[in-house]
Amino acid sequence: MKIINYQECHQKDFKKLSYEWLEKYVSIEPIDEEMLNNPKSFILDGGGHIFMAQHGDDNENVGTVSLIRVDDKTFELAKLAVTEQYQGLKLGQHLMEHCLNVAKQQGATKVILYTNQKLTKAIGLYKKFGFIEIPLNNNKYIESDLKMELLLF
């Protein structure tokens, strides 16, 4: 398994991986459509990052995660997804580690995320990395009912 930086040729897989989990666990919101159809303008052009997890000799894209720049010191972790066939191999954990390392290298002091309480496995992963629940303010997602934050030191 390796983690690579997103390139335009990955857009189809980025979208497919994200839709896979959105359709299974929540619904696809207008902001998801905007982000998935325009990742360059929505995520990358603002100083964010998208990473792809590749597996196997053919470098199949089996996972993804995004860091959306909120301000000079904050990123939002978004669109963490691993295709069902490859869940249980700690790919989500590796993607999280990679994101947090990049956020630190970029001078961030905080990473936030929005989620839904029914995503218990994801919440367990976030807590494992030290994310804590904070008041749900500035929520841009319809179905998010939980906001979490990790202070980077």
Side-chain angles (χ1 to χ4, degrees):
M1 194 272 306
K2 65 181 176 181
I3 297 174
I4 61 164
N5 290 322
Y6 171 92
Q7 297 175 15
E8 275 190 49
C9 63
H10 299 127
Q11 205 267 334
K12 182 179 172 186
D13 287 339
F14 172 64
K15 194 172 178 178
K16 183 183 117 207
L17 289 161
S18 297
Y19 273 117
E20 182 181 310
W21 77 264
L22 285 168
E23 290 171 344
K24 183 173 182 175
Y25 296 106
V26 289
S27 62
I28 299 162
E29 301 180 13
I31 194 166
D32 295 318
E33 291 280 358
E34 185 179 346
M35 192 181 309
L36 296 173
N37 287 315
N38 305 294
K40 183 178 181 311
S41 62
F42 198 93
I43 300 169
L44 302 173
D45 289 348
H49 304 272
I50 303 170
F51 304 106
M52 306 299 292
Q54 296 186 327
H55 188 271
D57 294 335
D58 61 350
N59 293 324
E60 179 184 2
N61 291 313
V62 298
T64 187
V65 67
S66 301
L67 282 173
I68 302 170
R69 175 71 75 175
V70 176
D71 59 39
D72 288 347
K73 297 293 182 184
T74 309
F75 280 104
E76 175 191 344
L77 183 87
K79 301 295 170 259
L80 175 61
V82 174
T83 196
E84 196 164 359
Q85 177 184 351
Y86 291 94
Q87 291 178 4
L89 301 176
K90 302 204 182 288
L91 298 180
Q93 183 172 321
H94 292 299
L95 285 163
M96 286 283 295
E97 288 170 353
H98 189 78
C99 273
L100 297 177
N101 286 335
V102 169
K104 287 176 189 174
Q105 290 168 4
Q106 301 253 318
T109 58
K110 179 170 51 174
V111 176
I112 62 168
L113 62 87
Y114 298 88
T115 191
N116 186 291
Q117 293 189 36
K118 65 182 167 185
L119 300 174
T120 55
K121 285 184 183 178
I123 293 168
L125 178 65
Y126 303 144
K127 287 182 175 179
K128 180 178 179 178
F129 278 89
F131 280 85
I132 60 168
E133 295 181 30
I134 61 171
L136 184 63
N137 57 13
N138 300 321
N139 185 9
K140 59 186 176 184
Y141 303 101
I142 297 166
E143 292 192 43
S144 292
D145 60 5
L146 179 63
K147 183 176 181 181
M148 302 180 85
E149 154 184 287
L150 175 66
L151 300 178
L152 304 173
F153 298 104

